[in-house]
Amino acid sequence: MKITIVNYGAGNIKSIQFAFQRLGFEAVLTNSPEEIIKSDKVIFPGVGEASTAMIKLKQSGLDELIPTLKQPVLGICLGMQLMCNHTEEGNTPGLGIFDVNVKRFSNKVKVPQMGWNTISNLKSDLFKGIKEKEYMYLVHSYYAEQCDESIATSDYDLEYASALENDNFFGVQFHPEKSSKAGEQILKNFIEL
């Protein structure tokens, strides 16, 4: 099985690579369209600021490639947000894979949300073996609104979509690679899709 982690300069990709190694899989870091297209599974990570990350995607042509992929794709954190229609962060247009917008948390709560929070309303094989209200590790100031493509929700100031699915595309706001055994189970489930 060939697993590719999209390396476009906006992600904590080493921790994801190590998580797959712990599961017994090698994941290749690349920004080569040819390598990504040939992959069985694609991880689209992201840490940092949305508009800068989108510029890096456009410079490499990956903004046009990613929405056309046919194999399972998993966006993590900012990666998931960039797969949405638009984010308020930097007023940035997204890739339009998920038909939802990304908003900033209000000032009524501490921003960013940093630490452990639960996921609920689990609706996908991505969560096979994961119990309702399982804890996942999150660090984010922006969230995807509730929508039809939501496959998990979390609550922080309001209920929001903490995971999304559209055909072969999946996105998680939390960091499975930092979410202990449950997070590793989600990565294992993704491999098995």
Side-chain angles (χ1 to χ4, degrees):
M1 163 139 348
K2 183 168 182 189
I3 302 167
T4 297
I5 301 171
V6 180
N7 183 7
Y8 63 107
N12 184 5
I13 52 182
K14 283 294 186 187
S15 62
I16 299 168
Q17 192 175 35
F18 293 145
F20 280 110
Q21 285 176 357
R22 287 191 299 272
L23 292 170
F25 295 93
E26 287 300 315
V28 177
L29 308 176
T30 187
N31 66 353
S32 161
E34 294 79 21
E35 290 294 312
I36 293 168
I37 289 167
K38 288 192 282 184
S39 299
D40 298 304
K41 303 285 194 286
V42 176
I43 305 294
F44 178 42
V47 172
E49 193 272 329
S51 62
T52 304
M54 189 56 78
I55 288 168
K56 290 177 181 180
L57 278 179
K58 288 181 178 185
Q59 287 171 342
S60 60
L62 296 174
D63 63 317
E64 294 183 13
L65 174 70
I66 291 169
T68 68
L69 294 174
K70 302 299 181 208
Q71 66 272 64
V73 177
L74 177 63
I76 298 175
C77 195
L78 179 61
M80 181 193 91
Q81 292 181 3
L82 293 175
M83 294 165 80
C84 298
N85 286 333
H86 179 270
T87 175
E88 287 183 350
E89 186 174 27
N91 191 28
T92 306
L95 300 176
I97 294 166
F98 300 124
D99 189 20
V100 62
N101 292 319
V102 175
K103 307 271 188 184
R104 188 179 193 285
F105 284 120
S106 78
N107 291 328
K108 295 187 285 182
V109 292
K110 185 178 176 192
V111 178
Q113 174 183 200
M114 187 179 304
W116 297 89
N117 197 350
T118 58
I119 56 172
S120 302
N121 304 309
L122 309 179
K123 298 180 191 165
S124 170
D125 287 342
L126 192 63
F127 298 114
K128 192 167 105 187
I130 303 296
K131 64 183 191 290
E132 284 286 324
K133 300 200 181 285
E134 184 67 70
Y135 279 89
M136 295 291 158
Y137 187 77
L138 299 110
V139 180
H140 63 122
S141 301
Y142 295 81
Y143 65 92
E145 297 178 294
Q146 275 285 39
C147 63
D148 290 342
E149 295 164 330
S150 173
I151 56 171
T153 61
S154 294
D155 197 315
Y156 190 72
D157 186 33
L158 72 165
E159 190 175 57
Y160 64 91
S162 51
L164 300 165
E165 180 179 340
N166 180 12
D167 296 327
N168 57 307
F169 293 95
F170 300 82
V172 293
Q173 182 60 63
F174 50 86
H175 288 272
E177 76 282 8
K178 296 178 182 178
S179 295
S180 193
K181 295 248 182 261
E184 285 190 357
Q185 181 64 47
I186 290 169
L187 292 177
K188 186 172 180 284
N189 291 344
F190 177 70
I191 290 168
E192 294 172 354
L193 290 174

